[in-house]
Amino acid sequence: MHGWIWIIAALVLGALEIVLPGWFFLGIALATGLMGLAILAGIWTGGLPMALVVTAALSGAIWLGLRRIFGSSRGDVRIWTRDINDDK
């Protein structure tokens, strides 16, 4: 029964990602959904504290993977290290 709570939380986090885009909530939503599926399938039998730790680590890994696949957004701040008018 607790697996459904994790999946509902993943759906809420996914909806939050739509409202506040930035890849952050998407990583958490995917990790939470995976943990919910693992609980429902009986793969995860550990307690809540360890489930939270594994979900946090999985969330970070998913976020890094999404950043590597899709890159940074075009709205990110660009830092210029060389001016076009500088002499070489």
Side-chain angles (χ1 to χ4, degrees), residues 54-79:
V54 169
T55 302
L58 189 58
S59 170
I62 289 172
W63 184 83
L64 287 173
L66 288 172
R67 290 289 285 195
R68 181 167 296 267
I69 292 170
F70 296 109
S72 60
S73 66
R74 294 181 185 182
D76 287 350
V77 175
R78 182 177 291 173
I79 298 174

Short mmCIF file of all heavy atoms in Angstrom, two decimals, residues 54-79:
data_model
loop_
_atom_site.label_atom_id
_atom_site.label_comp_id
_atom_site.label_asym_id
_atom_site.label_seq_id
_atom_site.Cartn_x
_atom_site.Cartn_y
_atom_site.Cartn_z
N VAL A 54 18.23 6.33 -0.50
CA VAL A 54 18.39 5.77 -1.84
C VAL A 54 17.67 6.65 -2.86
O VAL A 54 18.19 6.90 -3.96
CB VAL A 54 17.87 4.32 -1.89
CG1 VAL A 54 17.77 3.80 -3.31
CG2 VAL A 54 18.76 3.43 -1.05
N THR A 55 16.50 7.16 -2.52
CA THR A 55 15.76 8.04 -3.42
C THR A 55 16.54 9.33 -3.66
O THR A 55 16.58 9.83 -4.79
CB THR A 55 14.37 8.35 -2.85
OG1 THR A 55 13.67 7.13 -2.65
CG2 THR A 55 13.57 9.22 -3.79
N ALA A 56 17.16 9.87 -2.63
CA ALA A 56 17.95 11.09 -2.80
C ALA A 56 19.15 10.85 -3.69
O ALA A 56 19.45 11.66 -4.59
CB ALA A 56 18.40 11.62 -1.43
N ALA A 57 19.84 9.75 -3.50
CA ALA A 57 21.00 9.42 -4.35
C ALA A 57 20.57 9.17 -5.79
O ALA A 57 21.21 9.64 -6.73
CB ALA A 57 21.74 8.22 -3.79
N LEU A 58 19.47 8.46 -5.96
CA LEU A 58 18.95 8.18 -7.29
C LEU A 58 18.49 9.47 -7.97
O LEU A 58 18.69 9.66 -9.17
CB LEU A 58 17.79 7.18 -7.19
CG LEU A 58 17.24 6.60 -8.47
CD1 LEU A 58 18.33 5.89 -9.25
CD2 LEU A 58 16.11 5.64 -8.16
N SER A 59 17.91 10.36 -7.20
CA SER A 59 17.48 11.65 -7.73
C SER A 59 18.66 12.45 -8.25
O SER A 59 18.59 13.05 -9.33
CB SER A 59 16.74 12.43 -6.64
OG SER A 59 16.51 13.75 -7.05
N GLY A 60 19.74 12.48 -7.49
CA GLY A 60 20.94 13.18 -7.95
C GLY A 60 21.51 12.58 -9.21
O GLY A 60 21.92 13.29 -10.13
N ALA A 61 21.54 11.26 -9.27
CA ALA A 61 22.07 10.58 -10.46
C ALA A 61 21.19 10.86 -11.68
O ALA A 61 21.69 11.10 -12.78
CB ALA A 61 22.17 9.08 -10.21
N ILE A 62 19.88 10.83 -11.50
CA ILE A 62 18.97 11.11 -12.61
C ILE A 62 19.12 12.56 -13.06
O ILE A 62 19.14 12.86 -14.25
CB ILE A 62 17.51 10.79 -12.20
CG1 ILE A 62 17.32 9.28 -12.09
CG2 ILE A 62 16.52 11.38 -13.20
CD1 ILE A 62 15.99 8.87 -11.52
N TRP A 63 19.24 13.48 -12.11
CA TRP A 63 19.40 14.90 -12.46
C TRP A 63 20.68 15.11 -13.26
O TRP A 63 20.66 15.82 -14.27
CB TRP A 63 19.40 15.75 -11.20
CG TRP A 63 19.47 17.21 -11.50
CD1 TRP A 63 18.44 18.03 -11.82
CD2 TRP A 63 20.65 18.01 -11.50
NE1 TRP A 63 18.90 19.29 -12.03
CE2 TRP A 63 20.26 19.32 -11.84
CE3 TRP A 63 21.99 17.76 -11.26
CZ2 TRP A 63 21.17 20.36 -11.94
CZ3 TRP A 63 22.90 18.80 -11.35
CH2 TRP A 63 22.47 20.08 -11.68
N LEU A 64 21.77 14.49 -12.83
CA LEU A 64 23.02 14.62 -13.57
C LEU A 64 22.90 14.01 -14.97
O LEU A 64 23.43 14.55 -15.94
CB LEU A 64 24.16 13.96 -12.81
CG LEU A 64 24.66 14.72 -11.58
CD1 LEU A 64 25.68 13.87 -10.82
CD2 LEU A 64 25.24 16.05 -11.96
N GLY A 65 22.22 12.89 -15.06
CA GLY A 65 22.00 12.27 -16.36
C GLY A 65 21.17 13.14 -17.29
O GLY A 65 21.47 13.26 -18.48
N LEU A 66 20.13 13.76 -16.76
CA LEU A 66 19.31 14.66 -17.57
C LEU A 66 20.10 15.87 -18.04
O LEU A 66 19.96 16.31 -19.18
CB LEU A 66 18.08 15.11 -16.78
CG LEU A 66 16.99 14.06 -16.55
CD1 LEU A 66 15.93 14.59 -15.59
CD2 LEU A 66 16.36 13.65 -17.86
N ARG A 67 20.95 16.41 -17.16
CA ARG A 67 21.78 17.55 -17.55
C ARG A 67 22.79 17.15 -18.63
O ARG A 67 23.09 17.93 -19.52
CB ARG A 67 22.53 18.12 -16.34
CG ARG A 67 21.68 18.82 -15.34
CD ARG A 67 21.18 20.11 -15.85
NE ARG A 67 22.25 21.09 -15.83
CZ ARG A 67 22.06 22.38 -15.95
NH1 ARG A 67 20.85 22.85 -16.11
NH2 ARG A 67 23.09 23.21 -15.94
N ARG A 68 23.31 15.94 -18.54
CA ARG A 68 24.28 15.48 -19.54
C ARG A 68 23.59 15.24 -20.88
O ARG A 68 24.13 15.54 -21.94
CB ARG A 68 24.97 14.22 -19.07
CG ARG A 68 26.00 13.72 -20.07
CD ARG A 68 26.90 12.68 -19.52
NE ARG A 68 27.73 13.17 -18.44
CZ ARG A 68 28.96 13.65 -18.60
NH1 ARG A 68 29.46 13.72 -19.81
NH2 ARG A 68 29.66 14.05 -17.58
N ILE A 69 22.40 14.66 -20.85
CA ILE A 69 21.69 14.35 -22.09
C ILE A 69 21.15 15.62 -22.76
O ILE A 69 21.35 15.83 -23.95
CB ILE A 69 20.53 13.36 -21.82
CG1 ILE A 69 21.09 12.00 -21.42
CG2 ILE A 69 19.63 13.23 -23.04
CD1 ILE A 69 20.04 11.04 -20.90
N PHE A 70 20.48 16.46 -21.99
CA PHE A 70 19.80 17.61 -22.57
C PHE A 70 20.59 18.91 -22.45
O PHE A 70 20.22 19.91 -23.05
CB PHE A 70 18.42 17.79 -21.93
CG PHE A 70 17.50 16.65 -22.22
CD1 PHE A 70 17.15 15.76 -21.23
CD2 PHE A 70 17.01 16.45 -23.49
CE1 PHE A 70 16.31 14.69 -21.49
CE2 PHE A 70 16.17 15.39 -23.77
CZ PHE A 70 15.81 14.51 -22.76
N GLY A 71 21.64 18.93 -21.66
CA GLY A 71 22.47 20.12 -21.51
C GLY A 71 21.79 21.20 -20.69
O GLY A 71 20.69 21.04 -20.17
N SER A 72 22.48 22.32 -20.57
CA SER A 72 21.91 23.43 -19.82
C SER A 72 20.94 24.19 -20.71
O SER A 72 21.01 24.15 -21.93
CB SER A 72 23.02 24.35 -19.32
OG SER A 72 23.73 24.86 -20.42
N SER A 73 20.05 24.91 -20.08
CA SER A 73 19.05 25.65 -20.84
C SER A 73 19.67 26.91 -21.44
O SER A 73 20.69 27.41 -20.98
CB SER A 73 17.87 26.01 -19.94
OG SER A 73 18.28 26.90 -18.95
N ARG A 74 19.04 27.43 -22.44
CA ARG A 74 19.56 28.61 -23.12
C ARG A 74 19.46 29.85 -22.26
O ARG A 74 20.11 30.84 -22.54
CB ARG A 74 18.82 28.81 -24.43
CG ARG A 74 19.08 27.70 -25.40
CD ARG A 74 18.37 27.93 -26.69
NE ARG A 74 18.58 26.75 -27.54
CZ ARG A 74 18.14 26.64 -28.74
NH1 ARG A 74 17.46 27.63 -29.27
NH2 ARG A 74 18.37 25.56 -29.43
N GLY A 75 18.66 29.82 -21.23
CA GLY A 75 18.49 30.97 -20.36
C GLY A 75 19.54 31.08 -19.28
O GLY A 75 19.52 32.02 -18.50
N ASP A 76 20.47 30.13 -19.22
CA ASP A 76 21.52 30.17 -18.20
C ASP A 76 22.45 31.35 -18.44
O ASP A 76 22.65 31.80 -19.57
CB ASP A 76 22.33 28.88 -18.20
CG ASP A 76 21.57 27.72 -17.62
OD1 ASP A 76 20.50 27.95 -17.04
OD2 ASP A 76 22.06 26.59 -17.73
N VAL A 77 23.03 31.82 -17.37
CA VAL A 77 23.96 32.94 -17.45
C VAL A 77 25.25 32.46 -18.10
O VAL A 77 25.81 31.44 -17.74
CB VAL A 77 24.25 33.50 -16.04
CG1 VAL A 77 25.30 34.58 -16.10
CG2 VAL A 77 22.98 34.03 -15.41
N ARG A 78 25.73 33.22 -19.06
CA ARG A 78 26.98 32.89 -19.74
C ARG A 78 28.06 33.83 -19.22
O ARG A 78 27.88 35.03 -19.20
CB ARG A 78 26.82 33.05 -21.24
CG ARG A 78 28.08 32.67 -22.00
CD ARG A 78 27.87 32.77 -23.48
NE ARG A 78 26.94 31.70 -23.88
CZ ARG A 78 26.45 31.58 -25.09
NH1 ARG A 78 26.76 32.46 -26.01
NH2 ARG A 78 25.64 30.59 -25.39
N ILE A 79 29.18 33.27 -18.82
CA ILE A 79 30.30 34.06 -18.31
C ILE A 79 31.34 34.15 -19.42
O ILE A 79 31.84 33.14 -19.90
CB ILE A 79 30.90 33.42 -17.05
CG1 ILE A 79 29.85 33.38 -15.95
CG2 ILE A 79 32.14 34.19 -16.60
CD1 ILE A 79 30.28 32.64 -14.71
#
